[in-house]
Amino acid sequence: YTVGKVRLGIPECNGSNIRGALSRPFTAAASAQEGAMLLASAMLGPAALGAMSDPRNMPLRPRRLGATYAVPTWMPESAMEVNEPSAVLALGRIRRSTVTLQRSGLEVATSFWRTDKFARAESPKLVFLHGADSNCLEWRYVAEKLGASGLDCTCIDWWSGGFTDREPINKALKGSGGKSQPSTLIREHLEAFCEQQFFDPDGPGTDEAVILIGASLGGAVAIDWAAANPERVKALILIDSSGESYHDPSSEAAQALAPAVLAAKSLAAWVSSKAVDVGWDTSEEMRIAGLHRTEPGWREAYGAYLTSGGHQAAVTPEVVRSLGVPTLVLWGTEDKTLPLRDAYAFQRDLGPNCYGVREVRGAGHSPHLDDPAFVAKHIGLFLEELDLTGGAAPSDLDGGAARRQRYRDNRP
């Protein structure tokens, strides 16, 4: 494929060459490179790359926002290319705070954005955890809606995603010789962040517990933290969450595939960034989702997470059954990554602590992006059911008691 004057050596994606490549073991660097090319072709799709190669499909339009919002110096320059209004609002609020991990002593500059400026003083603290290899902008639609109702929403970049400094944890993992696990340091990182932002009497807030919302692998991060810190969690909301099953391969397979996966994602980010440089109208959503992939240490961090097995050993159905906090499960009916049956497995294993499964019709693996209005509404109704709104009106629908009663009637 040719993008502008640059020719990319990506083979056309079809069933036979993918099956042929995947049926052969990754025994050499050339095999990994071939796998990367095939994965990139599969991820981007021949139609998408073919469309980019045709100048008639590349309308020129200005991309820079000028001075409409300030980008911190530690953010990638590509953040200035974002035009989507919700993403612009989130980028305008993004900040960093250095937290100290108590057990390891690591200092991690942690990126997040928050709606606290618009929150009611009595609002509970909602902490949003993105999926693997994503960033805090993933929550821009839902957190904006809930924040506008008066709720205090914080969207954090947990290692290895987003714009949080990866180097301290990268070095700790490398120096431990395999003794430290990413899932353990992620849990410790989240503990340090919440301690600083919400629990420290001398800090920004003095809440005793938070409400955790996790999507995909962010759901596994939320489960892991809630199981380790039950007294710090008022409620849990899982959105197409890992925990009952995982889309990730085994750690052995991940070790073989990690170089190819990282190469494919890097290539996708490079194609997107070059297209923006010359003014092509590329997918805004794809560029926002990949803004962090040019950050220092991204390849090393994500590679370490993949090859460790991620949260597969830390979060299992047994851990889910140990949870004792009220939990809502939301799931896209068209999720091709994690099956809808996992939602009902969560309902079964959570028992009376599950306040129901809400199917998001027509949504895929990210219903908070596909149908944010539905997701925000049901988060609001869940919090109203638990009397955890702090005077905010997050559902803001047809008035109070009757709707809350209908919500109770839908409980298992």
Side-chain angles (χ1 to χ4, degrees), residues 8 66 97 108 180 224 239 246 326 334 352 395:
L8 302 177
S97 181
V108 180
S180 295
D224 182 56
I239 303 175
Y246 289 84
E334 305 305 315
S395 62

Side-chain angles (χ1 to χ4, degrees), residues 65-211:
L65 294 173
T68 56
Y69 70 95
V71 177
T73 56
W74 45 264
M75 287 285 287
E77 285 191 15
S78 53
M80 280 299 295
E81 309 291 347
V82 173
N83 285 346
E84 184 194 276
S86 293
V88 168
L89 284 173
L91 283 166
R93 297 177 187 146
I94 201 165
R95 61 187 103 160
R96 253 185 181 177
S97 181
T98 298
V99 302
T100 302
L101 281 59
Q102 290 184 357
R103 284 177 288 281
S104 64
L106 299 175
E107 293 189 346
V108 180
T110 304
S111 56
F112 65 101
W113 64 278
R114 190 171 178 181
T115 65
D116 53 332
K117 184 182 293 185
F118 313 100
R120 297 175 64 91
E122 305 83 6
S123 168
K125 305 301 185 286
L126 281 66
V127 179
F128 293 79
L129 301 169
H130 59 70
D133 192 34
S134 185
N135 59 60
C136 60
L137 300 178
E138 176 180 319
W139 296 106
R140 58 194 182 275
Y141 305 135
V142 168
E144 181 184 336
K145 290 178 181 298
L146 293 173
S149 75
L151 291 173
D152 190 345
C153 302
T154 299
C155 307
I156 178 178
D157 283 328
W158 58 273
W159 184 96
S160 60
F163 312 101
T164 287
D165 183 11
R166 294 165 176 79
E167 288 306 314
I169 292 180
N170 285 359
K171 290 179 180 178
L173 288 171
K174 189 174 182 179
S176 74
K179 294 181 180 179
S180 295
Q181 290 298 311
S183 59
T184 303
L185 291 175
I186 289 168
R187 184 192 314 134
E188 191 179 345
H189 176 218
L190 185 56
E191 285 176 4
F193 178 82
C194 289
E195 188 70 37
Q196 181 197 76
Q197 294 293 317
F198 309 126
F199 308 146
D200 182 0
D202 299 321
T206 58
D207 281 48
E208 296 179 354
V210 298
I211 297 164

